[in-house]
Amino acid sequence: MSHFQNLSSPKSEFYYVKGKRKVRTNKNEQGNRSPLDISKQVQLSKHELTNMRRSQVPLIRDTLSQLWESDMLPAIWFIFSRRGCDAAVEYLEDCRLLHDCEASEVELELKRFRMQYPDAIRESAVKGLLRGVAAHHAGCLPLWKSFIEELFQRGLVKVVFATETLAAGINMPARTAVISSLSKRIDAGRHLLTPNELFQMAGRAGRRGIDTVGHTVLVQTPYEGPEECCDVIFSGLEPLVSQFTASYGMVLNLLAGSKVTHNQKESDDVKVKRSGRTLEEARKLVEQSFGNYVGSNVMVAAKEELERIQNEIQYLSLEITDEFIDRKCREELSGEDYAEISLLQKKLKEEKQMRNELKKRMELERMAAWKTRLEEFESGHLPFMCLQYKDKDSVQHTIPAVFIGSLSSFADEKIVSLVQDDSIAAGKQKVDSGGQQYDPSCYIALSSDNSWYLFTEKWIKAVYKTGLPAVPSAEGGPLPRETLRQLLLREDMMWDKIAKSEYGSLLCMDGSLDTWSWSLNVPVLNSLSEEDEVERFSQEHQDAVECYKKQRRKVSQLKKTIRSTKGFKEFQKIIDMRNFTKEKIERLEARSRRLTRRIRQIEPTGWKEFLQIGKVIQEARALDMNTQVIYPLGETAAAIRGENELWLAMVLRNKILLDLKPSQLAAICGSLVSEGIKLRPWKNSSYVYEPSSVVTGVINYLEEQRNSLIDLQERHGVKIPCEIDAQFAGMVEAWASGLTWRELMMDSAMDDGDLARLLRRTIDLLAQIPKLPDIDPVLQKSAQIACNIMDRVPISELAG
């Protein structure tokens, strides 16, 4: 059996099980320049930079071989998706990182684990584990994760592919931390890692007492390179932010005094001892939170600095006003020179205003012309086109793409919502002073780097006569335009805004593997000549262009006249000083925005939330805020541990639960704690157990109560989640009915770890019910039975 490296010969080549392959070196050959050198010398477009980076992205095997050759294992390799971690392990199944003795030891440990916990074995990961690689993420059963951690600590696992949740709280010492990307996908699109997130993961590198140095490897991707890496590393750590939040349980326990059901024979002394805290006393306790501790130090200094900056901005703003400049000119120039320059400057201002109006009209006429031409391409072949935009550094980018059609032609709910989004189409703009209006349209194109682009006429540079022919790929099949429309509708619609203007935004979204072959057929712009371009200039647009050019020449001539005046040198010094002051104000305003953002992050809001929650509690009749008398609903809520204690108390005190069997009660409790649990959408043939009709009926009944509480929370600005979800209730009911783990997970649409977490949460809630005050004994007994049934292997072995 071949190894990555023969342990007795440190300089030997590394091998795959399925054949030999030499290690790539990371040294540039003589005469070649690195991508960073090239990008520094030549300003590349986004498309060119992405293609260059894509060609430079190293394979996992090549990176791993470099780590092995450099003696940088064991390593934790961070990949920001469960699926990516599992795929990486599967990709390396034909590689070997363990020698024979280590492999035998792992095999022995696997046998022991299988004998003790047969249902906890992750069969799809066994082959990789025997090679020295494993995955560790929330989709794994906690028992299996503990097993991986133990093997890693013993040196029997060389590489663990993990999600970023492993970056804190688990003892898995590694010599190297590998970060697969500087960005991760979220619901709003691609999100660049913060410095805190990056350094948290990098901090896993280096074993205390073993390594003198820990290594962190950042892998280049098509989206990030050395420039983005430097931006994150050198941007500085973000301030600590308080995570303190008020909850129903906190408010009830801080304010609760005597019970509404207290014994009337109790002495006055006992009643005094049971009196609740006043609001002022509660406020003093809340203000001792970490958020206020940070505020007492950092925020005071930040607010003082912000006030100083704002005062300076206010003072400097007076020095750039027209009145100040006019007064300065009177002081520095002679009366004759001042009169001459003042008259010319007034005229220049009027001419510039006219030039700007004509430029706007020219732009709108250009867009209107494109809109007319693009309507002709809604059927027939798909023309190639060129989009252009300027980034935040004012660098011009051009994008070769193939035109699909207008967004409104898709007639899909997801698309309609995009069309109605004000961030895409900026609304109607006036074409001229005659009152005519122009409404920009939204279009879709697929670029040569396999990205979808959503744009208005503002971003079009050219459209070409050539394109993809309107011929189906198979006889009787759909046309290319219809195929691409269907592929777009399959996407998650996570768009990134890369440019914006008053005429609409330019949005981008990654394509899929299905669109890759289509994007490869988009030619580079150099292969398309100006003769291939579609004529788009209308007569109105040409007239607007001529008027604009004429006015621009007029402004230019007037500037020359001003420069030739006798007092221009003194006047120019005054203008230069104003421009310098403007730049200083811009820097101060940027600093002010950063400070304001920082203050907003660290400013404690706990007391405001406390009062808002108190109003909900008062209106829900759980506690009287004035007398501190706590009602039975409040007693139950104060004793519960959960996300929304008031909602859980409302459900558990409902008499409809008394007639439920233990398994049905467990299903209801599972529906209350299923937040964050997800299905595996890529498992099309998988399923989850459906709840019984009784459980479904109870959940539908409780939904009305939930809506009432949500309305109450919204009225008072409280945003605490209020969950009840029947999607996974059937899985909990099946487990509580005695179904085995193997039966439950067979073709399941849930990950092992997700189901285990859901069942553990349900057991935790059931275990609380017998100890809660003012709960019906029938419900308490049923909860105890359900808890005992559910708390079994492999769930019973979970640590919390």
Side-chain angles (χ1 to χ4, degrees), residues 686-712:
S686 303
Y687 65 93
V688 293
Y689 284 91
E690 295 293 330
S692 62
S693 58
V694 174
V695 172
T696 302
V698 172
I699 290 177
N700 292 337
Y701 173 81
L702 293 174
E703 185 70 33
E704 297 181 9
Q705 271 193 335
R706 172 178 172 270
N707 292 333
S708 177
L709 179 58
I710 288 176
D711 292 341
L712 178 59

Side-chain angles (χ1 to χ4, degrees), residues 43-55:
Q43 189 63 56
L44 301 176
S45 68
K46 179 186 175 183
H47 171 67
E48 293 169 331
L49 189 61
T50 299
N51 282 343
M52 183 188 70
R53 285 176 174 171
R54 182 174 283 113
S55 67

Side-chain angles (χ1 to χ4, degrees), residues 5-160:
Q5 180 177 338
N6 187 329
L7 298 180
S8 62
S9 177
K11 293 185 178 181
S12 63
E13 293 183 336
F14 91 88
Y15 294 83
Y16 299 147
V17 174
K18 295 182 179 178
K20 185 172 76 173
R21 179 171 177 169
K22 291 186 178 181
V23 183
R24 288 185 183 179
T25 62
N26 58 359
K27 298 178 181 178
N28 292 320
E29 297 182 5
Q30 188 175 3
N32 291 339
R33 292 176 295 178
S34 70
L36 182 57
D37 294 333
I38 296 173
S39 63
K40 285 180 178 178
Q41 296 181 22
V42 181
Q43 189 63 56
L44 301 176
S45 68
K46 179 186 175 183
H47 171 67
E48 293 169 331
L49 189 61
T50 299
N51 282 343
M52 183 188 70
R53 285 176 174 171
R54 182 174 283 113
S55 67
Q56 298 293 329
V57 172
L59 298 174
I60 291 179
R61 284 174 173 167
D62 293 337
T63 303
L64 185 56
S65 71
Q66 294 289 341
L67 297 178
W68 180 277
E69 290 287 327
S70 303
D71 193 26
M72 293 169 65
L73 298 180
I76 298 176
W77 198 309
F78 291 102
I79 298 177
F80 302 122
S81 73
R82 302 179 189 179
R83 199 174 178 186
C85 292
D86 293 335
V89 172
E90 184 178 350
Y91 179 68
L92 294 175
E93 281 182 350
D94 60 343
C95 302
R96 186 176 179 187
L97 296 171
L98 303 177
H99 55 60
D100 292 340
C101 293
E102 290 174 328
S104 299
E105 194 171 350
V106 171
E107 191 170 3
L108 179 61
E109 292 298 327
L110 268 171
K111 288 180 179 178
R112 291 175 179 171
F113 187 83
R114 190 185 296 275
M115 290 177 62
Q116 190 174 2
Y117 308 113
D119 289 338
I121 287 284
R122 190 176 173 87
E123 297 292 350
S124 60
V126 169
K127 187 175 180 181
L129 192 62
L130 293 172
R131 305 293 188 192
V133 295
H136 187 295
H137 52 71
C140 302
L141 198 62
L143 270 175
W144 180 257
K145 289 195 290 185
S146 299
F147 179 58
I148 297 299
E149 293 163 19
E150 180 183 348
L151 294 181
F152 189 83
Q153 291 171 23
R154 291 170 56 183
L156 299 177
V157 172
K158 304 299 182 182
V159 179
V160 166

Side-chain angles (χ1 to χ4, degrees), residues 446-490:
L446 179 67
S447 70
S448 59
D449 64 347
N450 196 31
S451 296
W452 295 101
Y453 281 88
L454 196 158
F455 57 95
T456 62
E457 299 90 351
K458 159 70 180 177
W459 311 104
I460 302 174
K461 180 182 180 182
V463 177
Y464 300 93
K465 301 172 185 177
T466 58
L468 300 180
V471 179
S473 56
E475 187 175 352
L479 294 175
R481 177 176 276 105
E482 185 58 33
T483 300
L484 287 169
R485 284 176 175 172
Q486 293 303 319
L487 291 176
L488 175 63
L489 295 177
R490 294 180 194 173

Side-chain angles (χ1 to χ4, degrees), residues 337-364:
D337 293 342
Y338 168 76
E340 182 183 14
I341 289 181
S342 177
L343 180 64
L344 290 173
Q345 279 292 118
K346 183 178 179 181
K347 188 175 182 181
L348 178 63
K349 184 177 181 181
E350 294 173 353
E351 297 297 339
K352 280 185 175 181
Q353 185 176 357
M354 176 62 71
R355 182 195 61 185
N356 293 338
E357 291 178 0
L358 290 174
K359 183 179 181 180
K360 183 176 180 179
R361 180 180 178 184
M362 178 183 68
E363 177 68 9
L364 289 171

